[in-house]
Amino acid sequence: MKKFLIIFIMLFYSINPILADINLSCVMTNWNQNDDFSKDEFNIKYKELEPSHFSAIIEITSPGKVIGRLIGTSETGYMQSPYVGTIDDNKIVMNHKVSRIDDRGIDFTLDLISGRFEQEMYILEYKYWFLQKTGICELVD
């Protein structure tokens, strides 16, 4: 009976998608700022950065649902977490609410095919982002 229970528990942990997670090593390469985020969506200042590394842990909590945590380094500083979102065959789309539940907050989009990510920060009810960080992520074992 003990062997059966141990085998069942090991099988449960190995195939259950609730316990699956994705570990990523990411590099931020661009920092884009939109000064007129309430008027003109095309008045953007583009700035290329020295590669700044951070880590991400994305947990698949149920089919199609994820929770993501970004872990900053001395290069990127503190990165707000957690993010809640969805996953499909092509991308992961997550959002973090900064101060209020009805704010737009911060969107994090990861393209699963190319590994490119975009993190866009919004202020209150404004339609366009005011700060965008872009780069690339790689899967870590």
Side-chain angles (χ1 to χ4, degrees):
M1 186 65 174
K2 277 186 177 180
K3 286 184 181 181
F4 177 72
L5 183 60
I6 291 171
I7 291 172
F8 177 73
I9 290 172
M10 290 175 53
L11 184 64
F12 177 75
Y13 280 112
S14 66
I15 64 170
N16 192 349
I18 293 173
L19 303 172
D21 65 334
I22 302 168
N23 298 316
L24 302 170
S25 175
C26 301
V27 177
M28 190 182 317
T29 57
N30 290 62
W31 178 286
N32 307 323
Q33 190 171 352
N34 186 353
D35 289 334
D36 294 329
F37 52 88
S38 63
K39 303 173 196 165
D40 182 13
E41 63 182 301
F42 301 109
N43 188 13
I44 300 171
K45 295 179 187 174
Y46 296 97
K47 182 178 179 184
E48 195 166 323
L49 300 173
E50 291 291 323
S52 303
H53 297 81
F54 67 94
S55 300
I57 300 171
I58 300 173
E59 299 175 27
I60 301 172
T61 57
S62 65
K65 305 286 183 190
V66 294
I67 295 176
R69 291 172 182 79
L70 304 182
I71 303 161
T73 62
S74 60
E75 296 172 343
T76 59
Y78 173 73
M79 301 187 83
Q80 296 178 341
S81 289
Y83 286 77
V84 178
T86 60
I87 184 171
D88 61 19
D89 293 338
N90 299 324
K91 63 183 174 179
I92 297 174
V93 178
M94 300 184 296
N95 182 271
H96 171 73
K97 303 295 184 189
V98 178
S99 59
R100 297 187 314 205
I101 197 75
D102 58 343
D103 286 347
R104 179 81 184 264
I106 304 171
D107 290 341
F108 185 89
T109 306
L110 174 65
D111 184 343
L112 295 174
I113 297 169
S114 68
R116 304 284 305 167
F117 76 86
E118 295 176 352
Q119 183 182 19
E120 298 168 340
M121 187 177 292
Y122 295 85
I123 294 181
L124 301 173
E125 71 278 348
Y126 292 110
K127 189 169 153 180
Y128 305 111
W129 53 265
F130 84 96
L131 183 62
Q132 180 188 53
K133 302 171 188 175
T134 63
I136 193 161
C137 291
E138 293 180 353
L139 189 63
V140 177
D141 291 334

